[in-house]
Amino acid sequence: MTDAGLSAELVAVVMAVDRGRPFVVASGEPPALPAGPLRADEESLQAGVREFAREHMGFELGYVEQLYTFADLGRSTDGRRVISISYLGLTRAEISGSERPTDWSALYDLLPWEDRRHLESGTGSDRLGEEIEAALQRWSGDDGDRLERCRFLFGYDERVWRPDLALQRYELLWETGLVAESPCAAKISALTAGPMVNDHRRILATGLSRLRAKLQYRPVVFELMPEVFTLGELQETVEAIAGQSVHKQNFRRAVEVQHELVEPTGDVSHDTGGRPAKLYRFRRSVRQERDQVGTKLPIPRAAR
Amino acid sequence: MTDAGLSAELVAVVMAVDRGRPFVVASGEPPALPAGPLRADEESLQAGVREFAREHMGFELGYVEQLYTFADLGRSTDGRRVISISYLGLTRAEISGSERPTDWSALYDLLPWEDRRHLESGTGSDRLGEEIEAALQRWSGDDGDRLERCRFLFGYDERVWRPDLALQRYELLWETGLVAESPCAAKISALTAGPMVNDHRRILATGLSRLRAKLQYRPVVFELMPEVFTLGELQETVEAIAGQSVHKQNFRRAVEVQHELVEPTGDVSHDTGGRPAKLYRFRRSVRQERDQVGTKLPIPRAAR
DNA sequence: CCAGCAAATACTCATTTCGAGCATTTGATC
DNA sequence: GATCAAATGCTCGAAATGAGTATTTGCTGG
């Protein structure tokens, strides 16, 4: 049944990690994820996303996966129904600090509370975290369910922080009016600089959640890595996405134990600051197989 | 951008399990999943699916989750682009053998190779399995990649059978022309009685795959259970969905270890055929929490 | 050339989890 | 009261995990 007011678009969450810093394609003011109308001649949506990235951003996506389809009313500012089919795309683009193209944004500028790497060992003053905790406390009041939900999602009171709950955390912050997009975000929500277009921050959080979850059981990290890399760099990338650090020795054990996941190139890298590191390459041959199955890289589903 | 030829619909994979027999709502000839146009006044799609089930099937869905959005060209028999947003819904409807409403189909009539409970202990003659293996063998020929893929998905040569790869298996069978919907399914594909509408069997396989995967880390089984149940019944349901059986003692250990997942009602059930079984109820209170997190019920990700 | 640093790499160890099997309990049935 | 079938209880070894300690190695500044 064709509906006069119906339109469909593709929205992409395209991520890359450069030396421990995760980026996402988002540009404009307010920032927006890349999106385009669904063209009538596209055979497959997946291919459509790839082509879109190629044409508009100028690079190949190594990995593409459908995320979620948003179609609720009231998503966009005008009242029409827009169906947004969102995709996650990973690439190896190098976004170096200096002349970074304007359409890459630092991921954790858009979702600041999701990066916890700084406050891990010892005493990082966690102003943001404390602010959130206080605000959530206020919001919860005496409501036990609310309290429990906050505890659970943000790891208060001895509970663990689970990186892959990024989406649920966003939704909680949205409900409580702490992100700029919230309908009830009256006051300055210091958490996010300003709003993003429509529900793009939610879509972004969806992508991050999915990627973090996937990291634990699929070899997707390699889509973010250059051809050859050291185990340290691999770990750094995982940590960048997960937003928290992992035990180094156990990380390499996990990689080594995965039979034939990576292979040494024979060379070593000297810009480590210490002992040179062996260089490895991802064994693409196992990819098709592993792609469907499991590869377990140890992102602590639990930290603290 | 409104496209004249664009239309969107909701498709639902609604499942229930009755005494170890899984069912899905599908009716007609050829069988079709329930589907309806996306209405302009629906606030949220999820609510739309619930309402659809209520109105057209007459029951409440206990759990609803978006599956995937199919929008590739060439999905339906006429050439227009249809966007199908598919949902998985679970319910506790009791579909008793005798007067089962005509719109419930036995799940494994539609995906026969996905049920392996019969051939587990010892010697079930697995005619279907052998037929598939032979056909896949023929299809593979000398192609190493093809061989590996078959081995991997169907667990040949000492490899394990992973229940949650149902979708990938369907796609392989589709490619090889072994399911009735295949474009190249010239001969009688004995695997499936006849075709299903459009790509509904693929959607069904998507739902099964997702449900099986979810079973391992989310307490979704309980949406398929009546208010009170024995651990044996719980296990029976898990096995029905997984398509294979699990170690009984370990299953109950896993349930018990999950602190406060279920609680005994105090009553016992006598229609067990042996020692009476304690009755339990799902602790709905933990649901909200667990829903977002993890519950580990032991479906062997690996069998054999 | 040497001391010392930083990071890579190598081992160790206790704890938990997991798969599998044996043993016991308890009503129903004949 | 013997027998059966299923629930329930317990044990054991293998494997996976989390968290250290120890060692190697090239670079750097003096």
Side-chain angles (χ1 to χ4, degrees):
Chain A
M1 182 168 287
T2 304
D3 184 318
L6 188 68
S7 70
E9 62 169 6
L10 293 178
V11 182
V13 177
V14 176
M15 293 197 188
V17 177
D18 189 45
R19 276 165 280 166
R21 306 184 49 205
F23 292 91
V24 60
V25 176
S27 56
E29 191 48 54
L33 297 174
L38 183 57
R39 295 195 330 218
D41 61 329
E42 263 154 12
E43 264 298 316
S44 108
L45 295 197
Q46 184 130 339
V49 173
R50 288 206 135 89
E51 194 183 313
F52 187 86
R54 194 160 36 231
E55 285 181 12
H56 291 85
M57 310 176 217
F59 52 74
E60 286 296 322
L61 295 182
Y63 177 82
V64 175
E65 163 185 337
Q66 187 179 301
L67 278 177
Y68 198 82
T69 298
F70 298 85
D72 294 351
L73 287 178
R75 293 180 49 242
S76 69
T77 36
D78 60 3
R80 299 173 58 232
R81 158 132 31 214
V82 180
I83 298 181
S84 297
I85 308 178
S86 62
Y87 276 81
L88 172 66
L90 304 182
T91 186
R92 314 180 184 191
E94 290 181 24
I95 311 108
S96 299
S98 47
E99 15 65 55
R100 124 155 83 112
T102 51
D103 50 351
W104 286 99
S105 301
L107 173 63
Y108 295 128
D109 284 353
L110 298 172
L111 299 170
W113 57 88
E114 289 297 336
D115 188 3
R116 296 166 55 92
R117 286 173 294 176
H118 54 286
L119 55 92
E120 235 138 33
S121 54
T123 74
S125 86
D126 182 20
R127 199 190 313 266
L128 180 70
E130 286 161 16
E131 204 171 314
I132 294 180
E133 184 160 4
L136 291 181
Q137 198 89 48
R138 243 175 293 127
W139 175 75
S140 297
D142 283 337
D143 188 325
D145 285 348
R146 286 188 169 186
L147 272 167
E148 179 53 30
R149 185 160 161 229
C150 297
R151 268 200 287 263
F152 171 68
L153 291 177
F154 284 86
Y156 302 141
D157 306 340
E158 298 297 300
R159 290 194 180 55
V160 299
W161 169 276
R162 298 194 26 164
D164 56 316
L165 297 179
L167 175 59
Q168 289 89 335
R169 278 188 288 269
Y170 173 80
E171 289 180 335
L172 176 60
L173 294 178
W174 187 88
E175 278 181 55
T176 59
L178 290 171
V179 289
E181 295 84 9
S182 306
C184 49
K187 58 239 130 200
I188 6 73
S189 48
L191 304 189
T192 62
M196 287 183 74
V197 160
N198 293 342
D199 52 359
H200 282 197
R201 204 188 309 268
R202 182 185 306 265
I203 298 178
L204 177 58
T206 305
L208 180 59
S209 251
R210 184 83 128 256
L211 178 55
R212 284 179 170 180
K214 210 128 220 167
L215 228 47
Q216 297 171 202
Y217 58 95
R218 289 256 205 111
V220 281
V221 222
F222 299 104
E223 305 299 343
L224 297 164
M225 303 298 299
E227 260 320 301
V228 299
F229 49 83
T230 69
L231 292 188
E233 289 161 357
L234 185 65
Q235 179 179 352
E236 187 183 35
T237 304
V238 167
E239 291 175 334
I241 294 296
Q244 65 183 21
S245 30
V246 306
H247 184 107
K248 176 149 61 172
Q249 296 90 324
N250 290 347
F251 180 84
R252 37 177 58 238
R253 173 176 62 188
V255 173
E256 282 157 5
V257 149
Q258 309 272 310
H259 194 41
E260 306 188 322
L261 188 60
V262 298
E263 64 188 0
T265 65
D267 297 322
V268 294
S269 162
H270 287 263
D271 50 355
T272 58
R275 173 174 172 175
K278 288 201 194 112
L279 285 168
Y280 293 85
R281 93 165 49 86
F282 179 43
R283 292 196 63 234
R284 301 242 136 227
S285 52
V286 296
R287 207 184 96 180
Q288 189 214 356
E289 173 180 356
R290 304 291 180 123
D291 245 14
Q292 316 172 83
V293 209
T295 297
K296 277 208 212 154
L297 289 189
I299 295 176
R301 57 211 77 194
R304 172 173 285 197
Chain B
M1 183 169 287
T2 305
D3 184 319
L6 189 68
S7 69
E9 62 169 7
L10 293 177
V11 182
V13 177
V14 175
M15 294 197 185
V17 177
D18 190 45
R19 276 165 279 166
R21 307 183 49 206
F23 292 92
V24 61
V25 176
S27 56
E29 191 49 55
L33 297 174
L38 183 58
R39 295 195 330 219
D41 60 329
E42 263 155 13
E43 263 298 316
S44 110
L45 295 196
Q46 183 130 340
V49 172
R50 290 205 131 92
E51 192 183 314
F52 187 86
R54 195 160 35 229
E55 284 180 14
H56 290 85
M57 310 175 216
F59 51 74
E60 286 297 320
L61 296 181
Y63 177 81
V64 175
E65 161 183 339
Q66 187 178 301
L67 279 176
Y68 199 82
T69 298
F70 298 86
D72 294 350
L73 287 177
R75 295 179 49 241
S76 68
T77 36
D78 60 2
R80 300 176 55 236
R81 156 122 45 204
V82 180
I83 298 181
S84 297
I85 307 177
S86 61
Y87 277 82
L88 171 67
L90 304 181
T91 185
R92 315 179 183 190
E94 289 180 26
I95 311 108
S96 299
S98 46
E99 14 66 54
R100 126 154 81 113
T102 51
D103 50 352
W104 286 99
S105 300
L107 173 63
Y108 295 128
D109 284 353
L110 298 171
L111 299 169
W113 56 89
E114 289 296 337
D115 190 4
R116 298 166 55 93
R117 286 173 294 178
H118 54 287
L119 55 92
E120 234 137 34
S121 54
T123 74
S125 85
D126 181 20
R127 198 190 314 264
L128 180 70
E130 285 160 16
E131 204 171 313
I132 294 180
E133 183 160 6
L136 290 181
Q137 198 89 49
R138 243 175 294 127
W139 175 75
S140 297
D142 285 336
D143 187 324
D145 284 348
R146 285 187 170 186
L147 272 167
E148 179 53 30
R149 185 160 162 229
C150 297
R151 268 200 287 263
F152 171 69
L153 291 177
F154 284 85
Y156 301 141
D157 307 340
E158 299 297 299
R159 289 193 183 57
V160 300
W161 168 276
R162 296 194 26 166
D164 56 315
L165 297 178
L167 175 59
Q168 287 89 334
R169 279 188 288 270
Y170 173 80
E171 289 180 336
L172 176 59
L173 294 177
W174 186 87
E175 278 181 54
T176 60
L178 290 171
V179 288
E181 295 85 10
S182 305
C184 49
K187 58 239 130 199
I188 6 72
S189 47
L191 304 189
T192 62
M196 287 183 73
V197 161
N198 295 342
D199 52 0
H200 282 196
R201 205 187 309 269
R202 181 185 307 265
I203 297 177
L204 177 58
T206 304
L208 181 59
S209 250
R210 184 82 130 258
L211 178 55
R212 284 177 170 180
K214 209 126 219 171
L215 228 46
Q216 298 171 202
Y217 59 94
R218 290 256 206 115
V220 281
V221 223
F222 299 103
E223 305 298 343
L224 297 163
M225 303 297 298
E227 259 321 301
V228 298
F229 48 84
T230 69
L231 292 188
E233 289 162 358
L234 185 64
Q235 179 179 354
E236 187 182 37
T237 304
V238 166
E239 291 176 335
I241 294 296
Q244 66 182 19
S245 31
V246 307
H247 183 107
K248 176 148 61 171
Q249 296 92 321
N250 289 347
F251 179 84
R252 38 176 57 239
R253 174 175 60 186
V255 173
E256 283 157 7
V257 149
Q258 310 271 311
H259 193 41
E260 306 189 320
L261 189 60
V262 297
E263 63 187 0
T265 66
D267 296 323
V268 294
S269 162
H270 287 263
D271 50 354
T272 58
R275 171 174 174 177
K278 289 202 192 111
L279 285 168
Y280 293 85
R281 90 165 51 86
F282 178 43
R283 292 195 64 233
R284 301 242 134 224
S285 52
V286 295
R287 206 184 96 183
Q288 188 213 357
E289 173 180 356
R290 304 290 180 123
D291 245 13
Q292 317 173 81
V293 208
T295 297
K296 278 205 211 156
L297 288 190
I299 294 175
R301 53 213 80 195
R304 175 175 283 193

